[in-house]
Amino acid sequence: MAHYTEEELALLGGLSSNTTAPINKVNYSLVEKVVQGSAPSDFDLLNSTMKRLGDLERKVWAQEQELQLKDQEIRGLEKKIVRLQQLHSGNATSGKREQELEQQCNKLKKQIREMESFLGDYGLVWVGENNADVSPASTARTQSPVPTSLTSFQPDFDRVLENLRDLNVLGGEGESHIKYQKGGARFKAPESVPLTLYKNGIILFQGPFRSYQEKSTQLCMRDIMDGYFPSELQNRFPDGVTFQVTDNRNVVFQEQSRWDDFPGSGQTVGSSGNNIQTSKKPGLQLSTDQFLNRLPKSVVRGGRIVDIRGAVKDTLQGSEENEMPKEILVESPQLSKEQSTQKNIAVSTLRIRSVSGEKTYKVRMLSSETLADLRNYLSICSRAPDLSSYNIISPFPYCVYEDDTSTLEEIGLVPNAFLVLRARSGEGAQKQSQK
């Protein structure tokens, strides 16, 4: 019987080097050959080795799959741990956030109470944009009685008049501004607001009468006594305004009779046609600008924006524009000749208003021509041979041009100017005719 080492037996039958270890798989054919005393061939040994390698590979693959599953489970558990940690930290953060929001809410409530108290001092109540959004606190304030300081109000007339004088200085009292219009320019004083003080109220502009018991009147007078322009005039006069004050502090204003609301002629019932003449309603008449300011700027009709003030202004001023003086163009013959031969010519353009104001002459002359040439052209256009009895005047700055031998350039009527013709007195006309 042949003797084999432990390594050879392991290759033959799957035995390990440890004889006490269990045999996983036994190649009984090889064992039988060994028992019979015959040696296994190389092919048998190789076949046995290949089988063992295949078994080991399958075992390794199975273990790899098991490890992948374990790794997936580990990653899932790690995600759960992260979520739990975030949830725990989020609870702590949310608690701090709630405290911050609560502190901010208390701060805003305090500010709201202070604002409502401030508005209440002036008799105002904040109601918001929608009645449904009014808070109970504001509703309670609305129903609360008005402070006695607002109900029993009496202005300090001396203080009001003193502050109005200061406000008039700030509003530009005594200043004049140049207003340009068609055909020239003129000085225009700033618009003033009529204000009449009575013992029981005021009249601002042309009315109506406003009693001191009205909140708007009290706020207006309080603004003046505090040294400010009335807030109700801020939108209309953002840069300030002057006041034309009438002091009737000792006069109690009384409402007019209802019959004064119907001026004109009328007839009594059952009369035979005798007319009854009633008095005209007292008060100042509104100017065009004051009337337009009381109208809305525009309205929406049928999906379109309609300009109200512009249309009414065009209607009111249509007749005035039609009555504007006609402009007659006059061009000197010398200017026509010079333009045909030269390009750069000093030309003077003059707009001259006639004595009657019904006509305006637009005269284009050379700057080297004289004032006598201008009189000659005007006499031809107006068909009046004697224009020596008229003065040629510049309204701004005021100047009377009498030297007919001076050129337009010498007297400063270049490149353009606005002039007015005005009849002379008898003595001045005789002196000019003798010249």
Side-chain angles (χ1 to χ4, degrees):
M1 183 174 179
H3 296 278
Y4 297 93
T5 62
E6 293 181 356
E7 288 77 4
E8 291 176 344
L9 292 174
L11 290 175
L12 293 175
L15 298 176
S16 63
S17 59
N18 188 2
T19 55
T20 60
I23 299 175
N24 294 332
K25 290 185 179 180
V26 180
N27 193 339
Y28 295 99
S29 60
L30 293 177
V31 173
E32 184 178 356
K33 290 182 179 180
V34 172
V35 173
Q36 293 177 359
S38 61
S41 63
D42 294 337
F43 178 78
D44 293 335
L45 294 174
L46 181 60
N47 188 21
S48 177
T49 302
M50 294 299 295
K51 287 181 180 181
R52 284 183 57 80
L53 289 175
D55 293 338
L56 292 174
E57 288 178 354
R58 284 190 294 271
K59 184 181 292 186
V60 170
W61 180 83
Q63 290 177 352
E64 288 179 355
Q65 295 295 325
E66 186 177 358
L67 289 175
Q68 291 179 0
L69 292 176
K70 297 296 182 181
D71 290 338
Q72 292 179 359
E73 292 180 0
I74 292 172
R75 286 193 294 269
L77 294 174
E78 289 177 350
K79 291 180 179 179
K80 288 182 179 180
I81 293 173
V82 173
R83 285 198 297 268
L84 291 174
Q85 291 177 350
Q86 292 178 352
L87 182 61
H88 183 268
S89 61
N91 291 334
T93 305
S94 62
K96 295 181 180 178
R97 180 61 177 170
E98 289 177 358
Q99 293 179 357
E100 293 177 357
L101 292 176
E102 186 175 357
Q103 293 177 357
Q104 187 176 3
C105 182
N106 294 332
K107 183 179 179 181
L108 293 175
K109 286 181 179 179
K110 182 179 179 181
Q111 292 179 354
I112 291 173
R113 287 193 296 269
E114 293 176 353
M115 293 172 63
E116 289 179 349
S117 176
F118 173 78
L119 294 175
D121 294 339
Y122 289 88
L124 301 177
V125 176
W126 174 256
V127 296
E129 298 180 356
N130 190 355
N131 293 332
D133 296 337
V134 179
S135 62
S138 62
T139 304
R141 183 174 293 275
T142 305
Q143 298 175 355
S144 61
V146 181
T148 56
S149 60
L150 294 177
T151 56
S152 58
F153 176 80
Q154 190 64 26
D156 185 354
F157 291 102
D158 295 334
R159 185 177 179 183
V160 168
L161 293 176
E162 182 181 357
N163 289 344
L164 284 175
R165 285 191 290 268
D166 296 338
L167 293 175
N168 285 341
V169 175
L170 296 176
E173 184 180 19
E175 299 179 358
S176 297
H177 304 280
I178 300 176
K179 181 181 180 181
Y180 295 94
Q181 58 185 5
K182 187 175 182 180
R186 63 184 179 89
F187 282 107
K188 181 182 179 182
E191 183 180 359
S192 60
V193 176
L195 174 61
T196 305
L197 302 175
Y198 289 96
K199 187 175 182 179
N200 56 340
I202 64 172
I203 293 181
L204 196 62
F205 296 100
Q206 282 74 39
F209 175 76
R210 297 166 57 176
S211 172
Y212 291 137
Q213 305 305 321
E214 299 179 9
K215 294 181 180 179
S216 60
T217 308
Q218 296 176 14
L219 294 177
C220 176
M221 299 303 294
R222 285 185 182 277
D223 288 340
I224 296 176
M225 287 191 296
D226 292 339
Y228 299 100
F229 290 99
S231 57
E232 61 185 72
L233 301 178
Q234 182 177 3
N235 293 332
R236 187 171 178 180
F237 304 101
D239 298 329
V241 67
T242 59
F243 293 90
Q244 184 179 355
V245 185
T246 303
D247 186 8
N248 293 335
R249 68 177 74 180
N250 298 323
V251 179
V252 177
F253 182 84
Q254 296 180 356
E255 294 291 340
Q256 300 173 356
S257 175
R258 293 181 59 188
W259 299 108
D260 294 337
D261 294 337
F262 303 95
S265 60
Q267 295 181 356
T268 59
V269 178
S271 65
S272 59
N274 296 328
N275 292 337
I276 300 176
Q277 188 70 25
T278 61
S279 60
K280 185 178 180 181
K281 186 176 181 179
L284 299 176
Q285 300 296 325
L286 290 177
S287 64
T288 303
D289 294 337
Q290 291 174 347
F291 174 73
L292 292 174
N293 289 333
R294 294 192 176 188
L295 299 177
K297 291 184 179 180
S298 59
V299 296
V300 179
R301 290 290 183 271
R304 296 182 179 180
I305 300 177
V306 181
D307 185 10
I308 298 297
R309 293 186 182 179
V312 175
K313 184 177 181 180
D314 294 341
T315 303
L316 295 177
Q317 297 181 352
S319 58
E320 298 178 2
E321 294 179 356
N322 294 333
E323 295 176 358
M324 290 295 293
K326 298 180 181 179
E327 191 173 79
I328 301 174
L329 179 62
V330 181
E331 188 168 326
S332 68
Q334 298 182 14
L335 177 62
S336 302
K337 293 179 182 179
E338 292 291 338
Q339 286 180 343
S340 60
T341 58
Q342 300 180 11
K343 293 183 179 180
N344 298 327
I345 304 174
V347 180
S348 176
T349 304
L350 307 176
R351 283 182 169 81
I352 305 175
R353 180 70 59 84
S354 63
V355 178
S356 62
E358 297 178 354
K359 297 179 182 179
T360 299
Y361 302 98
K362 181 180 179 182
V363 184
R364 299 182 73 251
M365 303 172 55
L366 293 173
S367 61
S368 59
E369 295 187 76
T370 62
L371 204 63
D373 296 330
L374 175 61
R375 291 183 181 273
N376 184 27
Y377 299 146
L378 292 176
S379 63
I380 296 174
C381 295
S382 61
R383 298 179 181 178
D386 186 15
L387 279 179
S388 60
S389 60
Y390 297 98
N391 283 329
I392 300 177
I393 301 173
S394 173
F396 179 78
Y398 184 83
C399 180
V400 180
Y401 303 104
E402 297 180 350
D403 187 5
D404 292 343
T405 60
S406 58
T407 63
L408 301 182
E409 187 174 2
E410 291 174 351
I411 58 180
L413 298 181
V414 178
N416 49 57
F418 176 75
L419 305 174
V420 177
L421 298 181
R422 185 173 297 172
R424 289 177 176 174
S425 60
E427 296 180 358
Q430 291 179 0
K431 290 181 181 179
Q432 186 66 19
S433 61
Q434 291 175 2
K435 291 181 181 181

